[in-house]
């Protein structure tokens, strides 16, 4: 007896084949903190908080993220894209609603890594490149991002994120309930 297939079929491809890494982390509020390091490789005196959630529906990926700045302001971004042919390694996500000045290109490296480029729409210039890894048996995400540069330095800053699954049973996530507040969940 063959085990039942648990992924969603799309043509001759399955959700599992289309999203080998994202299927492991989708449907979860991931929250945590970011250590920021400047061009001079000195850690900043502040810590950023934020989170991300990936949702898969057939061949569409929707990413909701938020960032809480040291002054308490919150920025939320929702991006969405449709996965094309499996022969193409990457997919593009665009901001929903009023749009935005960037789009993202994602490539999954099974079994545990996603590479992300943030691209400025107007110029086509990559402004940030990131790698997101699923670690500790799927209990944590580690994302390292490099802000690419302006005229003074090719790399303007680095972001090192550690994100854990939110725990609403304890009244919030791993630190507070910023993700719930920012997204209305």
């Amino acid at each position: 007896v063959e085990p039942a297939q648990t992924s969603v079929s799309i043509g001759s491809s399955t959700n599992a084949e289309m999203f080998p890494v994202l299927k492991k982390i989708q449907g979860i509020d991931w929250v945590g903190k970011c250590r920021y390091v400047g061009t001079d490789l000195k850690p900043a005196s502040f810590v950023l908080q934020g989170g991300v959630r990936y949702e898969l529906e057939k061949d569409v990926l929707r990413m909701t993220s938020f960032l809480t700045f040291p002054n308490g302001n919150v920025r939320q971004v929702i991006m969405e894209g449709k996965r094309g042919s499996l022969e193409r390694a990457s997919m593009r996500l665009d901001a929903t609603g009023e749009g935005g000045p960037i789009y993202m290109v994602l490539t999954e490296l099974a079994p545990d890594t996603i590479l992300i480029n943030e691209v400025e729409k107007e110029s086509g210039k990559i402004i940030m490149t990131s790698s997101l890894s699923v670690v500790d048996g799927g209990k944590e995400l580690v994302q390292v991002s490099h802000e690419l540069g302006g005229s003074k330095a090719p790399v303007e800053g680095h972001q090192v994120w550690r994100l854990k699954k939110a725990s609403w049973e304890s009244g919030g996530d791993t630190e507070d309930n910023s993700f719930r507040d920012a997204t209305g969940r």
Side-chain angles (χ1 to χ4, degrees):
V1 176
E2 284 188 34
Q5 185 173 348
T6 58
S7 56
V8 177
S9 291
I10 301 170
S12 62
S13 301
T14 65
N15 187 280
E17 292 167 339
M18 292 177 61
F19 300 107
V21 182
L22 288 163
K23 70 175 178 151
K24 296 175 183 179
I25 62 173
Q26 66 105 12
I28 299 167
D29 292 333
W30 296 93
V31 293
K33 296 189 182 235
C34 170
R35 294 174 290 157
Y36 186 83
V37 178
T39 302
D40 56 4
L41 294 181
K42 292 181 184 174
S45 60
F46 58 86
V47 175
L48 300 172
Q49 294 184 48
V52 66
R53 181 181 180 91
Y54 296 95
E55 294 287 346
L56 298 173
E57 186 173 324
K58 297 187 180 179
D59 58 348
V60 175
L61 169 64
R62 182 180 184 99
M63 181 203 75
T64 302
S65 66
F66 82 95
L67 175 64
T68 302
F69 295 96
N71 65 4
N73 288 341
V74 176
R75 181 183 72 198
Q76 180 178 339
V77 175
I78 300 172
M79 302 187 91
E80 190 171 275
K82 185 173 181 175
R83 181 70 168 101
S85 167
L86 292 178
E87 293 176 14
R88 185 178 173 108
S90 301
M91 70 178 291
R92 176 176 166 155
L93 300 180
D94 287 288
T96 62
E98 295 180 20
I102 66 160
Y103 64 88
M104 299 173 103
V105 178
L106 281 77
T107 297
E108 294 180 85
L109 299 175
D112 59 7
T113 302
I114 301 169
L115 299 178
I116 305 165
N117 283 340
E118 291 188 22
V119 181
E120 190 176 62
K121 283 183 183 176
E122 190 173 303
S123 69
K125 179 181 169 186
I126 296 172
I127 58 171
M128 183 153 50
T129 183
S130 307
S131 65
L132 177 109
S133 295
V134 181
V135 299
D136 194 18
K139 295 178 187 172
E140 187 172 22
L141 304 179
V142 174
Q143 180 170 323
V144 179
S145 302
H146 307 283
E147 298 171 358
L148 302 179
S151 57
K152 292 186 178 183
V155 178
E156 293 181 341
H158 309 272
Q159 299 176 18
V160 181
W161 286 91
R162 295 191 80 90
L163 304 160
K164 295 188 182 217
K165 294 178 183 179
S167 172
W168 302 121
E169 294 78 31
S170 63
D173 59 34
T174 56
E175 303 297 330
D176 63 351
N177 62 358
S178 299
F179 196 70
R180 178 178 274 179
D181 292 345
T183 64
R185 287 194 177 93

